[in-house]
Amino acid sequence: MSGNKVSRQKPCHHCKSRSASAPPGTSMIHYEKFWLYRHCSSVQQRDRQAQKAGQLFSGLLAMNVVFLGSAFLSSMIFNHVAITLADVWILLSILKVLCLFWITYYLLGTSRQPHAVLYRDSHAGPVWIRGSVLLFGSFSILLNVFQIGYSTILIQCKSRVEIVFPSIEILFICTQAFFLWHHSKDCIQVQHNFTRCGLMLTIATNLLLWLLAVTNDTIHMEIESQLREVERRFAGKAPTTSCICPNTTICKVFQKGYILLYPFNTEYCLVCCSVLYVMWKNVGRRISHHVPHIKPQFKLHGVVLGPLLGTMTVIIGICVFMMYQIQATGSAPNRQVFVMYYSYYIVLLPLMSVVAVIGTIIHALEKKELDTLKNPTRSLDVILLMGAALGQIGMSYFSIVAIVATDPRDLLNSLILSYSILLIFQNITQNVFIIDGLHRQPFAAATEARHTGHAGQHAAASELPGEEETTTSSKEEHTQMSPDKEGEMKEEQNHEAYVQRQVSMLELGQEIRKASLSYIHSYSHLSWKRKALKEISFFLVLCNIILWVMPTFGAHPVFENGLEKSFYGYSTWFAIVNFGLPLGVFYRMHSIGGLLEVYITA
């Protein structure tokens, strides 16, 4: 009976898979009888539940911190007496000190534990995003130095908090930049919940710093009042305030530097939030080692028209930007400079939109499969592209409403209206092209590399025996030579070295000729779809670079033309511009990274 019961028992799937390969007569092991196998699925399920619970708890912590800081900021805006700017600074200083303690603990404790960082996400923290953290962090440090210098000059009417807060900010920026540069790829495997809470606290602190930079216009208002006081003093009128800068030259340097570097601080907070979010998603993540990651290489083979047109666009844009900076920064900005600036955009934006639409159509015609593997970095890239585009789109809609409600028939107003509409369309078409390209499988060049590798191995194998024979024979001859013949051999070797030096120049010319021929060969062997995608991607990269440079380094016609500012009011339009402008700059920078990935994988 017992034998019948055993024979009636259904074999597990391990037995089924091994029955074909196992020789007859061998006993099979029923894995489903073991406790570890029966409870393996439940252990994995509990691990996933614990991971979701940790993410939920850390997300709730960040949400409460953001709500508390937003309440402080809202109270400061609507009730200056109860909650002042100094109170907000104190709250943010406490949060930054807590983040500094956690980052120090992570650097010295968590990351140095055994088996702490077994995996590293190759997609997270690319060089361009870490470089932008260092770049914007350096400018933010310089911004805080200007703020400390400006507050030190006006120490008689400034509080000590206005000097302490930027000092803590400098320490926070340096520590966070070092942390993100070295550990942005970590998939930490110990202290999951504590690491998630620390990352979310740091994200919430950066969001509050960005929100404060967007809504706080006290220093800008103070700078304008200082300029008005200087004008009154030159006119011979009595000053209306006692807080006057004693050294006008130094004050102007600090004021101009502060206004020029102000957008970089908001940009730094946004970039840090994106990198920290990827780290938060990678906590406890296990990456399979059997999946090879082929690191794409950036090569200019096969592109001609895109770099040519893009370089022309960049050169013209730099000329427009320099003329705008020279004329618009004067006491009375010329109307023609705004016409020139918006005309450049009106010519460039439709061209970028048409090129992006053509690229999207080519993507649809291609037969490349979609990449459906789990990739937190790519998911975040899509979210950031869609979210950052809302900054320019939102400002454009505000400008459209202001122009339509005032005088749309004016030349400058009609240019601004056309610019706003074209900017909305360009952002949408470029997002569709980039997102579609990021979800495509890279071009399968591995087969070509495999064939060339095999051919090289066969060629090397065919050459090796001959080389071995010559070397062995030369060794035998060398051992049989007399001492008199050694001098003759040395003379022959010197003569051969002299001949080789004469031939080196000819070989260099041949190598240059081979490189140019290989470039032409690679360009001619690309399909027309790949050629078009590479040309389009590279052209859009250069266009986004110049569109990133112009607003980043001081070209802000949306605030300087005076139309929207007079329609919405100074404080309201200041908040709108400080919300949309950093997002627009971040969108251009993030688009450059996405377009480079599309170019590499094309």
Side-chain angles (χ1 to χ4, degrees), residues 57-58 61 192-202 280:
F57 181 77
S58 57
L61 173 65
H192 293 175
N193 293 331
F194 188 68
T195 304
R196 288 193 185 100
C197 291
L199 288 169
M200 271 297 167
L201 179 64
T202 312
W280 179 76

Side-chain angles (χ1 to χ4, degrees), residues 8-276:
R8 291 176 185 175
Q9 187 179 8
K10 294 182 180 179
C12 60
H13 65 276
H14 290 281
C15 300
K16 290 180 180 179
S17 62
R18 293 190 177 189
S19 60
S21 60
T26 57
S27 60
M28 296 183 182
I29 300 175
H30 292 273
Y31 287 91
E32 277 141 356
K33 292 183 179 181
F34 287 93
W35 178 89
L36 181 61
Y37 183 83
R38 291 198 306 268
H39 293 270
C40 184
S41 60
S42 62
V43 170
Q44 292 179 356
Q45 187 176 1
R46 289 172 187 172
D47 185 45
R48 286 194 295 267
Q49 290 177 354
Q51 182 178 1
K52 291 180 180 179
Q55 291 178 351
L56 177 62
F57 181 77
S58 57
L60 289 174
L61 173 65
M63 184 183 67
N64 282 277
V65 172
V66 171
F67 281 161
L68 177 62
S70 302
F72 265 78
L73 290 172
S74 302
S75 302
M76 180 197 70
I77 294 171
F78 298 110
N79 193 346
H80 297 279
V81 179
I83 301 295
T84 61
L85 181 61
D87 298 328
V88 177
W89 280 346
I90 291 172
L91 174 65
L92 292 177
S93 298
I94 294 172
L95 293 176
K96 284 186 285 188
V97 169
L98 291 176
C99 293
L100 286 173
F101 280 136
W102 174 78
I103 292 174
T104 306
Y105 177 78
Y106 183 91
L107 294 175
L108 301 179
T110 305
S111 61
R112 296 188 178 184
Q113 290 188 8
H115 311 292
V117 186
L118 297 176
Y119 312 97
R120 291 178 66 85
D121 188 1
S122 58
H123 298 281
V127 177
W128 66 271
I129 196 95
R130 288 184 292 158
S132 62
V133 169
L134 295 182
L135 177 65
F136 295 139
S138 303
F139 285 135
S140 299
I141 291 172
L142 191 59
L143 171 70
N144 286 278
V145 170
F146 283 152
Q147 186 176 356
I148 292 173
Y150 183 73
S151 301
T152 305
I153 293 175
L154 300 175
I155 192 64
Q156 69 275 6
C157 52
K158 295 282 186 179
S159 64
R160 299 292 178 89
V161 181
E162 299 185 30
I163 299 177
V164 175
F165 180 77
S167 304
I168 300 175
E169 178 76 11
I170 291 174
L171 181 61
F172 176 72
I173 291 171
C174 294
T175 308
Q176 184 174 243
F178 177 83
F179 167 67
L180 294 179
W181 179 264
H182 290 281
H183 297 276
S184 59
K185 297 178 179 290
D186 289 358
C187 298
I188 199 72
Q189 302 297 323
V190 296
Q191 300 180 358
H192 293 175
N193 293 331
F194 188 68
T195 304
R196 288 193 185 100
C197 291
L199 288 169
M200 271 297 167
L201 179 64
T202 312
I203 291 174
T205 305
N206 281 280
L207 284 176
L208 290 176
L209 289 172
W210 172 76
L211 192 59
L212 175 64
V214 168
T215 57
N216 182 27
D217 60 344
T218 55
I219 297 184
H220 292 79
M221 295 289 289
E222 185 177 336
I223 290 173
E224 287 197 355
S225 65
Q226 288 281 343
L227 295 175
R228 287 195 296 267
E229 290 297 331
V230 172
E231 292 177 357
R232 289 176 63 87
R233 189 165 55 184
F234 281 133
K237 299 179 182 179
T240 58
T241 180
S242 59
C243 189
I244 300 175
C245 189
N247 194 331
T248 308
T249 305
I250 298 178
C251 276
K252 281 187 176 180
V253 172
F254 286 139
Q255 290 168 0
K256 291 292 184 181
Y258 186 87
I259 293 175
L260 181 64
L261 296 173
Y262 194 78
F264 290 102
N265 189 26
T266 55
E267 191 76 14
Y268 172 77
C269 295
L270 292 175
V271 175
C272 289
C273 286
S274 63
V275 180
L276 289 167

Side-chain angles (χ1 to χ4, degrees), residues 459-521:
S462 63
E463 292 175 359
L464 280 175
E467 291 179 357
E468 290 177 357
E469 290 177 1
T470 55
T471 53
T472 53
S473 63
S474 63
K475 286 181 181 178
E476 291 176 356
E477 291 177 358
H478 182 70
T479 54
Q480 295 175 359
M481 282 181 185
S482 62
D484 297 334
K485 294 182 179 180
E486 290 183 0
E488 297 178 359
M489 290 297 299
K490 290 181 180 179
E491 292 180 359
E492 291 179 0
Q493 289 176 358
N494 294 332
H495 180 70
E496 290 176 358
Y498 177 73
V499 173
Q500 288 179 358
R501 284 195 295 269
Q502 288 182 341
V503 177
S504 61
M505 295 301 296
L506 296 175
E507 292 179 351
L508 180 62
Q510 291 177 358
E511 291 295 331
I512 295 174
R513 184 171 175 270
K514 287 179 181 178
S516 60
L517 289 175
S518 66
Y519 181 88
I520 298 172
H521 178 75

Side-chain angles (χ1 to χ4, degrees), residues 342-358:
Y342 285 112
S343 299
Y344 173 76
Y345 269 83
I346 289 173
V347 173
L348 180 60
L349 292 176
L351 181 60
M352 294 176 65
S353 302
V354 171
V355 166
V357 170
I358 294 173

